[in-house]
Amino acid sequence: MVGKVETFLDMFRKHLPEMYRMFAASTKLLGTNQESAVIRSIYSWIEETNFSSEVLEKCSDELLVMRVGEVGWCDWGEPERVVGTLMNLGVKTEWMQALAA
């Protein structure tokens, strides 16, 4: 999926406004020592949500599909899948090394 972050955030705000407000309110704390606690708190309050069905399907008239070749795909619905993809690509970050320790 490729698109402008602002566009995806607008879709998110339109279809999941309460959840959007919670995350938007926390942006002032990103990059501070309170970031982790705030994000954990938000995730403890919100319900599990399927972005595809709750947002993308409701915005289908705003989306385009384009055929591309030679690309991979992985459902990043779980943190382990994201880390696995990054490892397969040879990406090594400080936070990934901390997970492995």
Side-chain angles (χ1 to χ4, degrees):
M1 193 165 44
V2 178
K4 293 181 179 179
V5 172
E6 185 177 329
T7 302
F8 288 119
L9 288 174
D10 285 344
M11 291 176 185
F12 180 44
R13 181 181 42 77
K14 180 179 178 181
H15 295 288
L16 296 169
E18 191 173 311
M19 189 183 300
Y20 177 87
R21 280 192 295 274
M22 281 192 241
F23 282 103
S26 72
T27 59
K28 295 175 186 170
L29 299 173
L30 297 179
T32 71
N33 61 354
Q34 297 172 319
E35 177 180 350
S36 294
V38 169
I39 297 300
R40 276 195 302 275
S41 176
I42 291 171
Y43 275 94
S44 73
W45 280 91
I46 62 175
E47 294 181 27
E48 187 172 310
T49 304
N50 184 314
F51 184 75
S52 292
S53 61
E54 295 297 321
V55 177
L56 296 178
E57 286 180 15
K58 295 176 181 178
C59 296
S60 61
D61 59 328
E62 300 174 49
L63 303 173
L64 298 172
V65 176
M66 184 173 140
R67 184 180 303 274
V68 296
E70 304 286 329
V71 297
W73 180 85
C74 180
D75 179 353
W76 279 4
E78 300 291 330
E80 296 82 13
R81 295 179 193 158
V82 176
V83 172
T85 298
L86 293 173
M87 292 175 69
N88 289 339
L89 293 171
V91 175
K92 295 182 180 171
T93 67
E94 189 175 307
W95 63 265
M96 287 172 61
Q97 293 171 359
L99 287 176

